Amino acid sequence: MSISQSLRNSAVVVEKYVTLAATSGTTVGVSVPAGTIVLAAGFENFTAVADVTTYTLDVTDGTTVFANDLNFDNTAAGTVKAGVTPGFVAAADTIDVVTTISGSPGTIAGRVWAVIVDVNGSVGQAASVDRDQLA
């Protein structure tokens, strides 16, 4: 028996609104369950980023860098940048933003997002029905 496509695990976008500090560091992002494949990840800034010496960020779970060295230096508000390095998250974790900043850009509001698929077995097989025995 086949399983309806609508019941299968599907790729979804998860996101979290964050404010990045004005200095280099890590900002906690979206939570993902164990057994998740990350297909792509990125960041959208809601605040314009000033022209400073360096403003790059990585989107990572600490093991895999899904989006590496996204350059947001001197970037207009509403810019979406992404990386497409896939990875598997074996244990429940967060996908965080790690910034490298030289200069004083101020805080930056935005959203960290990821396209994920939870590959845990969430759909069981349908029970058999013995239609021939119904009278």
Side-chain angles (χ1 to χ4, degrees):
M1 170 177 250
S2 65
I3 298 174
S4 168
Q5 185 63 31
S6 65
L7 297 177
R8 292 190 180 275
N9 295 343
S10 300
V12 295
V13 175
V14 292
E15 60 186 14
K16 181 179 179 184
Y17 295 92
V18 297
T19 299
L20 304 179
T23 58
S24 298
T26 301
T27 302
V28 176
V30 294
S31 296
V32 293
T36 298
I37 294 175
V38 178
L39 302 175
F43 188 78
E44 175 184 12
N45 61 313
F46 299 148
T47 310
V49 181
D51 188 6
V52 295
T53 305
T54 304
Y55 197 108
T56 61
L57 58 87
D58 294 338
V59 180
T60 178
D61 68 347
T63 303
T64 304
V65 180
F66 307 111
N68 190 36
D69 291 336
L70 301 178
N71 185 0
F72 275 86
D73 188 32
N74 195 28
T75 303
T79 301
V80 178
K81 294 189 179 186
V84 292
T85 301
F88 182 72
V89 180
D93 206 344
T94 57
I95 298 175
D96 306 323
V97 179
V98 179
T99 54
T100 303
I101 301 169
S102 296
S104 300
T107 60
I108 304 300
R111 72 179 176 104
V112 59
W113 57 268
V115 179
I116 65 168
V117 178
D118 181 346
V119 296
N120 293 297
S122 63
V123 177
Q125 277 190 285
S128 296
V129 176
D130 193 353
R131 290 185 178 93
D132 294 335
Q133 298 299 318
L134 299 175

